[in-house]
């Protein structure tokens, strides 16, 4: 018996959404895939919802009949303000209004290391450290973390905010030797968040069981997430192709990495 | 010699803006008053900027030639999402973009107790406690606190976020016996924030020297704010006209008071 | 208009009870004095309740029609187990059962420094430090602190546990230069606890505004207790008559003073 | 060579006492089993002591010639005050007096999660969090924790207070998915406490290596307890037979579970 | 009756030593002034000890018959290693050996803000923050803080380490608006340290009651030091003659001020 | 490809230095062995540097052309002041001057449990607890910890200070059941410190994965040190040959063990 009748996955066509689409199958009778483009390969247990998160009415409609929402949609990295505003800030508000109006009881939200990217590595912060975003992208993550806290305290909707570090097929640089989150561990983390008996409002770091540990995730131990993977098998290859960095560079000193060395996105021509 | 050439005050026609318009006179050669309506009583040291915060171009233009911004504009209490979004979220982004483009080095921002309104009174939180907004209004305060943190860490613009508790002519209910911030202390707090040698990114509670103390403001002691007023002289009158409340009610249990008992603003017909 | 209809004071014939009998007059229409012997000097606003705290039925009866209880009865210092058990442990249980059965909403309890007497002076403990009693007397204080916590969390009865340090007419030894609580400040502390808008379950240290500060009472700032007295005026006299003590003696090293050098009370013939 | 000459186990006929009777065999030459009824199956290495903990003289006598006491006797769950008082409060005092008079150097005490049952699950408390009992049973646990602290600080008797969570043959409900302590892990915990080189006064949580972790036991790492079991193998069966609970119910919100929803035991007819 | 028979003041001819020579008169029958040159103006209650701190035998001899040592000698600011080594490291070791051999029970040591100069201002550190020296001078302060901790724990000699911030006739720059310690407050601090009933090993910040507060001295409240002076009266003059500094400069960002911008002293020709 | 061109190991002839000489082979093309006597068994990848650490010029010269220094030289345990001063204090200053003058970017320093030996075992201190040396040896460790902090903050030279507990072939007494660091784990710790992507200034405890855990090393998790050994296999043998100690003895109560019961080394005839 799956835990849920119907889970909505936003950003279902994205890098992590695609993984979750496969990984969460055992947890729901039906998985509703949300994206801006139609999906052409729906399985029998799947259905689709095609809309733009900036569209309040459509977004709210897409949450109907769902027990849970896995909200991985919105801008996937730093970009200009208008996009952040529409997809990540307004879009997430629409998701929470959908949850409130349609009685969805639990949301799993893809927050990011960039919500606390300007903390120093040696600070070994826990999940309740004050926010220090490293980008507009990070600011939008803080916004949803705050919004979801309100929806728990006032409206009783549970949220697990997963601050995903570096979830890629494999570690691509030296920073990922500590920040790596394997796809399998990412799925495990979302699964744990969906099945934990009580989530309330939880902030958790999303990071594999890497040997080098920069943060303290014990404040989220009630989720029962136990990562199984590590960046170590990739270490030799990564070190061979990248030089030892200057330990005083912002991208080495702070959790956020190269986001801390980006300028303002509105100064660049929109992509 | 005043500290500043020109200070921009947003929300200058509001309850606290009006006090600041008078109180900050010694600190700048010129004070630029921002509001949605023209001011009809400009003094020689004053100039006006009439615009809507939702207008990015106009807002950025209004920050030109200013050394400091006292940002008290935006929605003054809980209201429907569209207003929060336009005036408090988008409007504040416009202010910070103005500061960045025009080289303003310090912003004083009117945050609020409602940014942390769902903390319990007995928790005696400090200024670095995790956010727990009690309203969309509070969520928008968290947004600006996060945004301004970014603008300090990445762009070097200092901000003091002043979490104002209850700034009214006098305490109106029993909660204000501990949450009261007199107008004079409010001006003192803004003045301290404008003249402190180094603000970096500071979050400070705004509260008078009331006998009952629910929060710990020591994390902002570097501002040099020393409140001079107290709610005690008003206590007898307040107690005479209001009953002893139930200690387990949300409005008594949490810092945010009656905001914690409000429903969702979008459920009400827009004002 | 006094805050209360009727306050019950237990231990009303004791050293501090006598002070409270006078000091709390403005707070209640009627003060009910509890003791083991009749009072022969009742004023018009006073009534008496003569009983032994070990008598459950009588104790519960004495709490009838009271809004508040100021519980200063029970063994006043270290003594043999049977007395501690009957007057402080069983007696206090009877008081709380009275409060529960008769709807009393707030209790002010005379706890003691001896509840945490084995903490080192330099530890500067706050009110939430783990218990470290220095005597059976201290253990009984911990018992009531625990019991009253239950009665708040489960039954909604508020309690302020006042850990009184050294409340005497004047400092009698060098330790009291930091542990002194003047009678007037003791009354102020009880008064603040009775009139604070929300007490919940609060533990507060009871100590005057002495120059030497060994503990951190900020966790009880919501009571609004502001001591007005100090041991300093007595310092010269105290130092003249007492030698400088060895800084490594238990009675100097620990908060509890000479209680830390007492043996077990049951080893002595009962008083 | 066993660590001890003779260990006294109180409550030796109880659910956990029976397990310890078997599990502690390697640690002592002789195990003295204490209970209110005779044991009819004594092994050669066993001896019995039949008495009521409320009987001071008999209890003290039973501690004679013991090196260690494993004190698991007294009321096993919430019950009326008189029973709590006699068996848990008075009885434990008798045990400690026995230890003091007969030179027993170490006591292992069965405290309980109910000593801190009113802490919220998400608080992730450590072993030194302030007490928040959820029952008279929990208050009696706090009493012994306090009493044993005194007997260490003043009389040099070591105690490990083991706050046992849910020690049953297998997890019986969803809460036990995180609170489960297998019988084998319970024995391991007592064994570790008996053999650790230095216990002083230690408070430890007693909980298996469950995937969901609600508390932080690192403050007791010097005991060397490493749980080997987990509730995970029972998860599917438990989830199949119990519905998902409301996350805002006291029995879900607080560590103490359903004890937090019990009324006062004296309101029920005595069992 | 003065507290002491004979106090030794090292560095008695220095800026602060001269103040203490006058200020400590009421505390001792005899004050022994230590310096490298003879004093030509000894008062009847004074005696001199002329020696170099690098001379172990002479230094030990100078501590004979003293009850207390006020150790303000050694290098007064950053200088080359050999001087730091001889006067501050070796010299201080000689002082503590003198105290140990001659039974001196209390030492007051002039440590410095430069022992923790690389902490950020906004960190609001307390007295137990990890060391972060900003100079070899600061390293030598850490050395004596460590050494004196050993002499307390192992040999029972009390020390108050006073981390003096900026003790000058008046604030000379904007940093001193928060770091100023008036001469009178410096004397008060030493006096409090000499008369506190128990010092054990205490680290205290030495700073006047300035409006801007960067550090938390509550960990030394048992000394009873209550500063009476403030930098505020000097603020207007200081601000008039110095520009507003860049908030990201090391000398503004860190507690140590301009010491944080010094190079290595051995790179300069010895003075 | 090894991480380093040339690593200098000081104390290379010592107990741990000999292990490192073997264990660090894969990390550098060349290993330079430093000692006071010539090495007679140099391998092709090794070279020697024979000098006394008290000789500044020779020490600085020995650091030339090195990328990293593993500084395990100096007095190996408590001894008289002059030796501590020359080999550990002056010698370490020379090493850091060498690193600064020759551009060495990372130093691994053999600090010791004796740097914090007077902390109580039950305090479970972390790596940022205030220093509490138990010997002159421990004071010298604090000196280098402070000095290296300065060289990181001011000169950008990274240091890992490894507080080695008890690194011997096997546990020799009951204390080592928790303090044991196997030789292999010691090598692993140094290796991790040499290869971690960013060390900055790190203090780490050096201790194997013993079952009994007295300290919290999580503040150094960014080094990626994961001990593989344990004292458990040696437990039975150790317990068989050593009696159970008195839990109130300093050597049992404090982290430093028997160092806490040593007198002053200068009171003994120099060895």
């Amino acid at each position: 018996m799956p835990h849920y009748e119907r889970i909505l996955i936003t950003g279902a066509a994205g890098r992590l959404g695609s993984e979750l689409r496969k990984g969460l199958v055992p947890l729901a009778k039906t998985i509703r895939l949300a994206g801006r483009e139609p999906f052409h390969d729906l399985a029998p247990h799947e259905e689709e919802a095609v809309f733009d998160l900036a569209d309040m009415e459509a977004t709210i409609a897409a949450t109907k009949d769902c027990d849970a929402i896995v909200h991985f949609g919105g801008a996937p990295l730093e970009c200009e303000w208008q996009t952040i505003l529409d997809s990540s800030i307004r879009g997430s508000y629409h998701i929470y209004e959908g949850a409130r109006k349609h009685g969805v009881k639990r949301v799993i939200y893809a927050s990011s290391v960039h919500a606390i990217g300007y903390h120093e590595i040696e600070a070994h912060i826990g999940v309740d450290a004050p926010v220090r975003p490293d980008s507009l992208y990070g600011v939008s993550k803080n916004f949803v973390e705050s919004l979801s806290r309100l929806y728990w305290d006032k409206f009783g909707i549970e949220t697990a905010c997963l601050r995903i570090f570096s979830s890629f097929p494999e570690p691509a640089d030296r920073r990922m030797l500590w920040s790596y989150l394997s796809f399998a561990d990412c799925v495990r983390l979302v699964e744990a968040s969906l099945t934990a008996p009580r989530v309330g409002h939880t902030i958790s770091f999303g990071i594999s069981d890497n040997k080098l540990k920069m943060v303290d995730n014990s404040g989220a131990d009630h989720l029962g997430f136990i990562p199984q993977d590590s960046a170590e098998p990739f270490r030799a290859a990564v070190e061979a192709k990248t030089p030892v960095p200057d330990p005083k560079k912002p991208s080495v000193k702070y959790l956020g990495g190269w986001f801390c060395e980006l300028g303002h996105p509105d100064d660049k021509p929109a992509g």
Side-chain angles (χ1 to χ4, degrees), chain A residues 256-271:
Chain A
W258 59 276
F259 271 54
C260 297
E261 295 180 358
L262 292 174
H264 194 289
D266 287 4
D267 289 349
K268 299 179 297 189

Side-chain angles (χ1 to χ4, degrees), chain A residues 77-258:
Chain A
L77 41 71
E78 181 65 330
C79 55
E80 70 275 20
W81 167 246
Q82 193 60 46
T83 303
I84 295 289
L85 179 69
D86 286 339
S87 74
S88 299
I89 293 178
R90 292 179 55 238
S92 295
Y93 177 75
H94 302 158
I95 286 289
Y96 276 89
E97 276 296 275
R100 186 172 73 90
K101 288 176 191 287
H102 291 307
V104 182
K105 280 317 211 182
R106 191 174 290 186
V107 180
I108 313 303
Y109 172 61
S111 184
S112 165
V113 61
H114 301 295
I116 38 84
Y118 264 118
H119 277 284
E120 291 191 24
I121 277 180
E122 282 100 336
H124 287 272
I125 62 166
V127 297
D128 59 355
V131 300
R132 294 206 184 169
D134 58 21
S135 51
L136 292 182
Y137 175 72
V139 171
S140 77
K141 297 301 179 186
N142 294 151
F143 169 80
V144 186
E145 291 178 347
S146 162
L147 184 74
S148 55
R149 179 84 224 182
L150 174 67
Y151 275 71
W152 163 244
D153 282 329
K154 186 163 267 185
F155 305 117
I157 299 169
E158 295 186 295
T159 294
C161 295
L162 311 180
R163 287 178 177 163
I164 290 165
F165 277 58
S166 303
S167 202
F168 291 93
E170 58 181 68
D173 58 27
R174 284 176 183 250
R175 176 171 166 270
M176 290 196 201
L177 294 179
W178 61 259
S179 67
Y180 179 58
L181 174 70
S182 73
F183 285 162
D185 277 340
C186 183
V187 171
R188 283 183 194 106
L189 175 54
V190 174
E191 187 183 3
S193 302
L194 282 166
T195 60
R198 177 178 150 99
V199 159
H201 186 268
T202 297
I203 292 177
S204 174
F205 296 131
I207 201 162
S208 282
D209 185 29
N210 304 317
K211 198 170 169 188
L212 303 163
K213 298 183 192 310
M214 306 304 180
V215 290
D216 173 4
N217 200 28
S218 60
D221 279 351
H222 55 281
L223 294 185
F225 167 55
I226 302 180
Q228 304 293 321
D229 299 322
S230 166
E232 281 305 294
F234 306 94
R235 182 195 280 256
V238 167
E239 291 186 347
K241 71 182 176 196
T242 54
V244 175
D246 175 351
K248 297 227 166 180
K249 275 186 71 179
S251 57
V252 178
K253 180 178 178 184
Y254 295 119
L255 289 177
W258 59 276

